[in-house]
Amino acid sequence: MCQMKQKMLNIETNGRGTFDISHDIQRIVEESKLHTGLCHLFLKHTSASLILCENADPTVRVDLENFMARIAPDGDPSYLHDMEGADDMPAHIRTILTQNSLTLPISNGRCALGTWQGIYLWEHRTIGHVRKLVITLQD
Amino acid sequence: MCQMKQKMLNIETNGRGTFDISHDIQRIVEESKLHTGLCHLFLKHTSASLILCENADPTVRVDLENFMARIAPDGDPSYLHDMEGADDMPAHIRTILTQNSLTLPISNGRCALGTWQGIYLWEHRTIGHVRKLVITLQD
Amino acid sequence: MCQMKQKMLNIETNGRGTFDISHDIQRIVEESKLHTGLCHLFLKHTSASLILCENADPTVRVDLENFMARIAPDGDPSYLHDMEGADDMPAHIRTILTQNSLTLPISNGRCALGTWQGIYLWEHRTIGHVRKLVITLQD
């Protein structure tokens, strides 16, 4: 009761795409021995997101990629900010349209996710990065 | 001081649209007797959202529906994921573009919402569902 | 340990655009003397957002404005809600597509932001407003 625990996790991505971190997060929550509380996840980046997404059919995440590619295309000539390439500004737009932070309830010692909810890190840059995640747990 | 309370709420929707849950949430916060703290709402679904929306003019929410229908149209032939019908993938996109979780401040024993802020559950599927909401309150 | 502190902050904007509030928030966190915890920011409005955005190149935020202007144009004749002018409904759409709340980890007495993350209030209305922010800090 009334504990606040913080942990850092580095997640290595190999380029644009979604990475299932559900098991990593559930393991950290279980190890914390907290029973009822909240789990806050925070990415220290502006070009990658955290999403809760349908976890049964991987084509959902393909469709999400295609959706983002359509509304915020790489290399759009209207972008002023393109220092790091054609995917630079789209990565910021995708992050702003989604979230780089999630707060999840902890119930009975686990993240109380719905049956079809998976926790994904969404890398928006075309090359891989090491993404820093801050996990704050409280009960 | 330093309490963590959790409650489940089932919300029945009758298909796509917004459902005002402000009064339900305020009642639960008031019953908790917490004075200063946070109220965390979490939907255990990937095809419905929680939004804070202007609560005076219902046409705002009509325009939001129309906006979503325009950028993520039902039955778009490019979707790979359509197992549950034409509204399946759009429901996931709408959820990713909004949020399925909200954290609200509690001040003086109530959610400290602005004058024009209402809490809405936004059902994105065309048929009704029972949506499970986890409410975590702390002070 | 186990403190919950709340503070209000009024932020005056001079019309549409982004306003860097990182220093204000870091100062409030430092003054709270909390070491490890969470900082929750909540805007009591439906036509302004809080975003974590790249803080090095201001053209990122110009591109974000242009992106929003393209997907939710001012004065679109399809909007039903235009009581307060051409920017009224777009301001609500922009808010729904982003967030009006942020939860940030506190580590070593400061918001644990990434190197390139700045906290911005994004005013979506074309004229200036006084925006009310509720800051809730806990450890």
Side-chain angles (χ1 to χ4, degrees):
Chain A
M1 302 290 286
C2 198
Q3 296 175 78
M4 181 75 75
K5 300 177 178 187
Q6 211 165 62
K7 218 178 143 70
M8 309 297 153
L9 190 66
N10 283 342
I11 300 164
E12 205 172 332
T13 71
N14 57 8
R16 188 172 278 176
T18 47
F19 299 84
D20 191 341
I21 60 170
S22 310
H23 292 293
D24 301 295
I25 303 305
Q26 286 289 20
R27 187 177 40 77
I28 288 168
V29 169
E30 284 168 25
E31 285 171 4
S32 76
K33 310 281 188 202
L34 303 187
H35 184 270
T36 304
L38 292 171
C39 169
H40 176 254
L41 308 177
F42 182 80
L43 267 188
K44 299 177 80 166
H45 304 279
T46 63
S47 53
S49 307
L50 292 172
I51 58 167
L52 286 172
C53 187
E54 208 266 21
N55 59 10
D57 178 5
T59 64
V60 172
R61 287 169 285 121
V62 176
D63 285 343
L64 287 176
E65 286 285 355
N66 292 341
F67 172 80
M68 287 295 184
R70 183 164 59 76
I71 63 164
D74 283 0
D76 188 306
S78 77
Y79 300 139
L80 302 176
H81 177 80
D82 58 4
M83 282 188 285
E84 296 187 18
D87 62 323
D88 186 352
M89 193 58 216
H92 295 306
I93 294 174
R94 286 159 169 246
T95 306
I96 290 294
L97 290 179
T98 54
Q99 294 169 77
N100 47 6
S101 173
L102 289 176
T103 304
L104 308 170
I106 300 173
S107 305
N108 299 314
R110 286 178 59 81
C111 283
L113 299 177
T115 312
W116 312 109
Q117 285 180 319
I119 311 168
Y120 295 89
L121 187 154
W122 195 352
E123 173 64 70
H124 298 308
R125 300 301 309 275
T126 51
I127 59 164
H129 283 73
V130 177
R131 299 305 193 172
K132 290 179 207 152
L133 185 70
V134 185
I135 303 157
T136 307
L137 302 165
Q138 54 176 324
D139 73 350
Chain B
M1 303 291 285
C2 196
Q3 296 176 79
M4 181 76 74
K5 298 177 177 186
Q6 211 166 62
K7 217 179 144 74
M8 310 295 154
L9 190 67
N10 283 341
I11 301 165
E12 205 171 331
T13 71
N14 57 9
R16 188 172 279 175
T18 47
F19 299 84
D20 192 341
I21 59 169
S22 310
H23 292 294
D24 301 294
I25 302 306
Q26 286 289 19
R27 187 178 39 75
I28 288 167
V29 169
E30 284 169 25
E31 285 170 6
S32 76
K33 311 282 188 201
L34 302 188
H35 185 269
T36 305
L38 293 171
C39 170
H40 176 253
L41 308 176
F42 182 80
L43 267 188
K44 299 177 80 166
H45 305 279
T46 62
S47 54
S49 307
L50 293 172
I51 57 167
L52 286 173
C53 187
E54 208 266 20
N55 58 11
D57 178 5
T59 64
V60 171
R61 287 169 286 121
V62 177
D63 285 342
L64 286 176
E65 286 286 356
N66 292 341
F67 172 79
M68 287 296 184
R70 182 164 60 76
I71 62 165
D74 282 359
D76 187 305
S78 77
Y79 300 139
L80 302 175
H81 177 80
D82 58 4
M83 283 187 284
E84 297 188 19
D87 62 324
D88 187 351
M89 192 59 217
H92 295 306
I93 295 174
R94 286 158 170 248
T95 306
I96 290 293
L97 290 179
T98 54
Q99 295 168 77
N100 49 5
S101 174
L102 288 176
T103 305
L104 309 170
I106 300 173
S107 305
N108 300 313
R110 286 178 61 81
C111 283
L113 298 177
T115 313
W116 311 110
Q117 285 181 319
I119 311 169
Y120 295 88
L121 186 154
W122 194 352
E123 172 65 71
H124 298 306
R125 300 301 310 274
T126 52
I127 59 165
H129 283 74
V130 176
R131 298 305 192 171
K132 290 179 207 151
L133 185 70
V134 185
I135 303 157
T136 307
L137 303 164
Q138 55 176 325
D139 71 350
Chain C
M1 301 292 284
C2 196
Q3 296 176 77
M4 180 76 77
K5 299 178 176 185
Q6 212 166 62
K7 216 178 146 73
M8 309 297 154
L9 190 67
N10 283 341
I11 300 164
E12 206 172 332
T13 70
N14 58 8
R16 187 171 279 175
T18 47
F19 298 84
D20 192 340
I21 60 170
S22 310
H23 292 293
D24 301 295
I25 303 307
Q26 286 290 21
R27 187 176 41 74
I28 288 167
V29 170
E30 284 168 25
E31 285 171 4
S32 76
K33 310 279 187 204
L34 303 187
H35 184 269
T36 305
L38 292 171
C39 168
H40 176 254
L41 307 177
F42 182 80
L43 266 187
K44 299 178 79 167
H45 304 278
T46 63
S47 53
S49 307
L50 292 172
I51 57 168
L52 286 173
C53 188
E54 207 267 21
N55 59 11
D57 178 5
T59 65
V60 171
R61 288 169 285 120
V62 176
D63 284 341
L64 286 175
E65 285 286 354
N66 292 341
F67 173 80
M68 287 294 184
R70 182 165 59 77
I71 63 164
D74 283 359
D76 188 304
S78 77
Y79 300 139
L80 302 175
H81 177 80
D82 57 4
M83 283 188 285
E84 297 188 20
D87 63 324
D88 187 351
M89 192 59 217
H92 295 307
I93 294 174
R94 287 158 170 248
T95 307
I96 291 292
L97 290 179
T98 53
Q99 296 168 77
N100 48 6
S101 173
L102 289 176
T103 304
L104 309 171
I106 300 173
S107 305
N108 300 315
R110 287 177 60 81
C111 284
L113 299 177
T115 312
W116 311 111
Q117 285 181 319
I119 311 168
Y120 294 88
L121 186 153
W122 194 353
E123 173 65 71
H124 298 306
R125 300 301 310 275
T126 51
I127 59 164
H129 284 73
V130 177
R131 298 304 192 173
K132 290 178 208 153
L133 184 70
V134 186
I135 302 157
T136 307
L137 302 165
Q138 55 177 323
D139 72 351

